[in-house]
Amino acid sequence: MTLFNRSSWLSLSLLLCSLGAGALHAEEETVTLNFVNADIESVVKAVGMISNRNFILDPRVKGTVNIVSAKPVARDMTYQILLSALRLQGFAAIEAGGVTKIVPEADAKQNFSVTGGKNIKASGDRIVTQVYPLQHESAVQLVPILRPLITPNNSISAYAGTNTLVITDYADNIRRINKIIESIDQPNYGEVTVIKLRYVSALDLAQTLNRLLGDGASVQPGGIPQATTGGDSGQKFVVLPDIRSNSLLIRSDNPARITRARGLVTQLDVAGSQMGNINVVYLRNAEATKLAETLRAILSGENRPAATSTSPTTSGQPATNPAATSSGSSIQADAQTNSLIITAPDNVYNTLRAVIDKLDARRAQVFVEALIVEVTTDKATEFGIQWQAPLSSSGNTALVGGTSFGTGGSNIVNLNTAKVLPNAGFNLGLLQRLTIGGQEVTGLTALARMLESDANANILSTPNLLTLDNEEAKIIIGKNVPFITGSYAQSAGAAGSGAAVNPFQTIERKDVGLTLKVKPQVAEGGTVKMQIYQEASSIQDTSNAAGVITNKRSIESTVLVDDGQIIVLGGLIQDDMRDGLEKVPGLGDIPFLGSLFKYETRKHVKTNLMVFLRPKVLRSASAATSLTGDRYDYIRNEQGNAATSPHLFLPNITTPMLPELKPQE
């Protein structure tokens, strides 16, 4: 027996390989191993010498192992014993090109390993990859069943295209999993039975059989039942209605259950009364009142709007009873329970039931996001010199001359005579005291004015709407502004000295702001047809005597766009350049000196307005929930960012917050 430890591993390993006494029995080719707290690297080297194998160790492979063999083992077994010891320490062996690499177990599946099919020959604790094609069961459905049996650091995946499993794990474990797969991947010998119905609707009876013989699963819209499994022995039991032939398709692994289903069908598929039975159909998605009108039109063979069936005729005679139809059948709608009450013979009811199942489908919803982008640049400049100076005076009269340009607070005469303030910009003036008629007058005799302004605006509005397919939605964000449409004032003289004056105005209120109206229509190919009206209006001036002046930009169009794609509806690209010049004829044209006799203004306004639209079709409840959750979390984050920071003197104010959105159980 040879003992290996950290201090003497090299000499003992050489001794183990060179000496046959005690460690190697030449006649049986066996060795006795005894490693106690031995370094992994030393053990790998010793086993390599014994088994004549080449090893490459990953730098992360560190630690000690314990290997004790009470009896001599075959030399070929030392490699398998080493692999088992390494596996306990979280390391694995990868065999490739005559070299065995020792790496951490988590990285083993990323390295090249022995790859084989169903009949893999490798064994032991070595990492291998197996490609296992299935014949009968679904590879995707087997993955969650086999995943718990795979080592956590290794992998199992399914390729649905060829119904194949790809497993990377230890060879012995894969051989065990192969036996499990062989037991599961068996042909399903359950027969399919077709039962033709004479009186009862296949849709109604399929629901009943699934509740009685399955797990209570019901038929989904479109006649597709949920997967059902029997309560005993986990055997499958599936009932499908065939609407075209009014038949039931039954499949089960247990012939006794098919026999029971046949017996129930025989007892339930009986004729009703001659004039018809009363049936109640509860709708999931459609509106009972509108669907009842459609079904009445089908039975009567008429093609008329639904509203005409309940409105009076033009001659004043009452319309035909909307519930009455041909063939002694009638259809009533109960709006409270959103259900249809149908009285009809069995064959008529079965036909109507098939139509109802097609029309009572979940309608898609459309989330419409409008992107209204407006970028405006406004630049203006002013430069001019004005002056007013007395030329001569005599007595109470004076002769004054000069220049005067502009309006308001930029005009020198207005600044002298009116109570106005100078306009924004650089204003440099000269005041002078004059004596006119013995009275001292202070006046602005010279004014130099310069101004340059630059204003930029970048506005992004994103109104959003969520609506049902083929239903109009509208959103308004703005103000309700009063507009005067008329007025009346009674004069006191016309009414007489004793009459009271009673003036009044008529006012009409209009929405001013952002308006979006959309009516989407979803096609099966994934495109969305939308009727759109978009308007952006604002108040420009309220001081006008005739009433409020508003700016208005609107688009009304019908477009076709793919689901989730952005389309441009239209817009405005406007570039407005204005150049103004006020001057004294002749004098204003003199170089340099002419600046004393002219006033120049320039203005450049550039507007870019574009309207984009992006629809997103939501066909399932999960899609709507995901979208709502994203918007909900966004607004909660914005509320958190708007929280007030602590203040030394002011009290803290609690920021209103939406409650955390918890998923439904």
Side-chain angles (χ1 to χ4, degrees):
M1 180 180 295
T2 305
L3 177 63
F4 290 83
N5 52 38
R6 295 181 180 178
S7 61
S8 58
W9 65 267
L10 181 58
S11 60
L12 293 179
S13 61
L14 292 174
L15 180 63
L16 178 63
C17 296
S18 60
L19 298 180
L24 176 62
H25 301 271
E27 66 279 6
E28 297 180 1
E29 293 292 331
T30 60
V31 291
T32 301
L33 303 178
N34 194 347
F35 296 93
V36 179
N37 293 329
D39 186 72
I40 290 179
E41 184 177 355
S42 64
V43 176
V44 170
K45 286 184 178 181
V47 173
M49 294 178 182
I50 297 173
S51 60
N52 197 24
R53 288 178 177 269
N54 298 321
F55 290 94
I56 298 178
L57 272 70
D58 190 283
R60 294 168 292 177
V61 178
K62 302 292 183 182
T64 60
V65 295
N66 294 284
I67 302 176
V68 178
S69 58
K71 297 180 180 180
V73 297
R75 175 182 295 187
D76 295 339
M77 287 295 298
T78 58
Y79 175 62
Q80 298 296 336
I81 293 173
L82 174 64
L83 296 184
S84 299
L86 292 175
R87 179 177 178 180
L88 296 177
Q89 300 297 322
F91 305 117
I94 305 298
E95 299 177 5
V99 177
T100 303
K101 294 187 292 184
I102 308 297
V103 296
E105 186 181 65
D107 296 343
K109 59 179 175 290
Q110 300 175 359
N111 289 269
F112 174 81
S113 58
V114 177
T115 304
K118 283 186 177 181
N119 302 320
I120 193 165
K121 298 179 180 180
S123 61
D125 290 325
R126 67 186 70 180
I127 295 294
V128 296
T129 298
Q130 182 183 46
V131 180
Y132 197 115
L134 301 179
Q135 298 294 329
H136 309 287
E137 293 296 329
S138 169
V140 176
Q141 294 180 0
L142 274 185
V143 168
I145 298 175
L146 300 177
R147 175 68 261 186
L149 305 178
I150 304 296
T151 308
N153 287 327
N154 292 322
S155 65
I156 178 174
S157 57
Y159 178 58
T162 57
N163 197 36
T164 302
L165 290 173
V166 180
I167 308 172
T168 300
D169 203 357
Y170 293 99
D172 282 348
N173 194 37
I174 286 184
R175 295 167 78 93
R176 177 175 69 104
I177 291 174
N178 285 350
K179 296 180 180 180
I180 298 174
I181 297 176
E182 291 174 1
S183 301
I184 297 176
D185 190 29
Q186 298 293 331
N188 188 352
Y189 297 103
E191 61 180 67
V192 177
T193 303
V194 180
I195 303 178
K196 183 74 170 65
L197 302 179
R198 298 181 58 190
Y199 308 105
V200 184
S201 169
L203 281 168
D204 294 341
L205 194 53
Q207 294 179 359
T208 303
L209 292 179
N210 274 309
R211 293 191 184 100
L212 291 175
L213 301 179
D215 282 342
S218 59
V219 178
Q220 298 174 342
I224 303 175
Q226 300 173 353
T228 58
T229 12
D232 51 345
S233 304
Q235 295 171 340
K236 296 180 180 179
F237 179 80
V238 178
V239 179
L240 286 175
D242 180 60
I243 301 175
R244 183 185 59 83
S245 62
N246 196 37
S247 304
L248 294 177
L249 307 178
I250 304 177
R251 180 177 180 178
S252 176
D253 294 336
N254 189 348
R257 307 192 79 193
I258 296 181
T259 303
R260 290 174 57 191
R262 281 184 177 275
L264 288 173
V265 171
T266 301
Q267 297 177 21
L268 296 175
D269 187 25
V270 295
S273 62
Q274 184 176 3
M275 294 302 297
N277 300 318
I278 299 178
N279 301 276
V280 179
V281 180
Y282 294 95
L283 304 179
R284 295 182 179 89
N285 303 287
E287 186 177 343
T289 305
K290 294 182 179 179
L291 186 55
E293 294 293 336
T294 302
L295 296 177
R296 294 184 196 121
I298 292 175
L299 288 182
S300 61
E302 298 180 7
N303 184 14
R304 64 179 188 275
T308 59
S309 60
T310 56
S311 60
T313 59
T314 55
S315 61
Q317 299 296 327
T320 306
N321 182 5
T325 59
S326 61
S327 305
S329 304
S330 66
I331 302 173
Q332 290 280 10
D334 182 36
Q336 299 296 327
T337 60
N338 196 38
S339 58
L340 298 174
I341 305 172
I342 303 176
T343 303
D346 292 334
N347 59 335
V348 176
Y349 171 74
N350 292 339
T351 303
L352 292 176
R353 188 66 180 86
V355 175
I356 293 171
D357 187 70
K358 296 292 185 182
L359 298 179
D360 188 28
R362 179 186 178 91
R363 295 172 63 185
Q365 298 184 93
V366 181
F367 178 74
V368 181
E369 183 178 12
L371 309 173
I372 305 171
V373 186
E374 182 173 359
V375 181
T376 304
T377 302
D378 189 346
K379 297 182 179 181
T381 56
E382 296 181 31
F383 179 80
I385 298 175
Q386 306 172 60
W387 53 273
Q388 295 287 325
L391 301 179
S392 65
S393 62
S394 175
N396 293 331
T397 62
L399 180 62
V400 179
T403 60
S404 176
F405 304 112
T407 59
S410 63
N411 183 274
I412 189 173
V413 176
N414 289 341
L415 293 175
N416 275 324
T417 59
K419 294 181 179 181
V420 296
L421 296 175
N423 285 346
F426 178 78
N427 296 280
L428 180 64
L430 176 65
L431 293 173
Q432 184 178 1
R433 290 183 174 87
L434 305 175
T435 300
I436 302 176
Q439 183 178 0
E440 187 177 88
V441 178
T442 301
L444 186 65
T445 58
L447 174 65
R449 172 170 169 76
M450 290 177 287
L451 171 66
E452 181 176 353
S453 62
D454 190 352
N456 299 318
N458 185 359
I459 303 173
L460 173 63
S461 303
T462 57
N464 300 330
L465 281 174
L466 180 63
T467 181
L468 275 175
D469 177 25
N470 216 24
E471 295 288 343
E472 183 180 281
K474 179 180 180 181
I475 183 173
I476 299 176
I477 304 170
K479 299 179 180 179
N480 193 256
V481 181
F483 290 83
I484 299 175
T485 58
S487 63
Y488 173 76
Q490 184 180 21
S491 63
S497 58
V501 178
N502 186 23
F504 68 88
Q505 293 177 332
T506 58
I507 294 176
E508 180 184 2
R509 291 188 172 271
K510 295 183 179 180
D511 296 323
V512 176
L514 191 62
T515 302
L516 176 64
K517 290 194 297 183
V518 178
K519 184 177 181 181
Q521 184 178 1
V522 182
E524 289 299 326
T527 57
V528 183
K529 178 183 177 182
M530 290 183 292
Q531 299 177 11
I532 305 160
Y533 177 77
Q534 185 274 326
E535 176 185 307
S537 57
S538 60
I539 299 175
Q540 180 182 2
D541 187 7
T542 58
S543 61
N544 191 282
V548 179
I549 299 176
T550 61
N551 295 323
K552 180 180 178 181
R553 299 184 179 99
S554 64
I555 295 176
E556 186 171 3
S557 178
T558 301
V559 298
L560 189 67
V561 59
D562 291 334
D563 179 17
Q565 299 300 314
I566 298 179
I567 189 173
V568 60
L569 297 181
L572 167 69
I573 300 177
Q574 180 178 355
D575 200 343
D576 187 1
M577 175 72 77
R578 298 184 182 183
D579 191 359
L581 175 63
E582 297 177 81
K583 66 178 181 178
V584 176
L587 297 177
D589 297 328
I590 301 174
F592 301 106
L593 186 62
S595 299
L596 300 175
F597 301 96
K598 64 182 178 181
Y599 189 84
E600 296 178 277
T601 60
R602 290 181 181 178
K603 189 173 184 179
H604 183 199
V605 180
K606 188 173 183 179
T607 302
N608 294 312
L609 172 65
M610 287 291 170
V611 180
F612 302 89
L613 203 69
R614 176 169 57 189
K616 182 176 178 59
V617 181
L618 309 177
R619 298 185 182 274
S620 63
S622 59
T625 302
S626 176
L627 177 65
T628 302
D630 291 342
R631 297 300 187 270
Y632 196 92
D633 293 340
Y634 169 79
I635 201 65
R636 286 191 83 248
N637 293 334
E638 291 298 313
Q639 287 181 326
N641 296 334
T644 57
S645 57
H647 196 276
L648 182 61
F649 303 105
L650 299 178
N652 292 331
I653 300 177
T654 303
T655 303
M657 289 286 294
L658 288 170
E660 185 177 355
L661 188 62
K662 297 181 179 179
Q664 295 182 355
E665 298 181 357

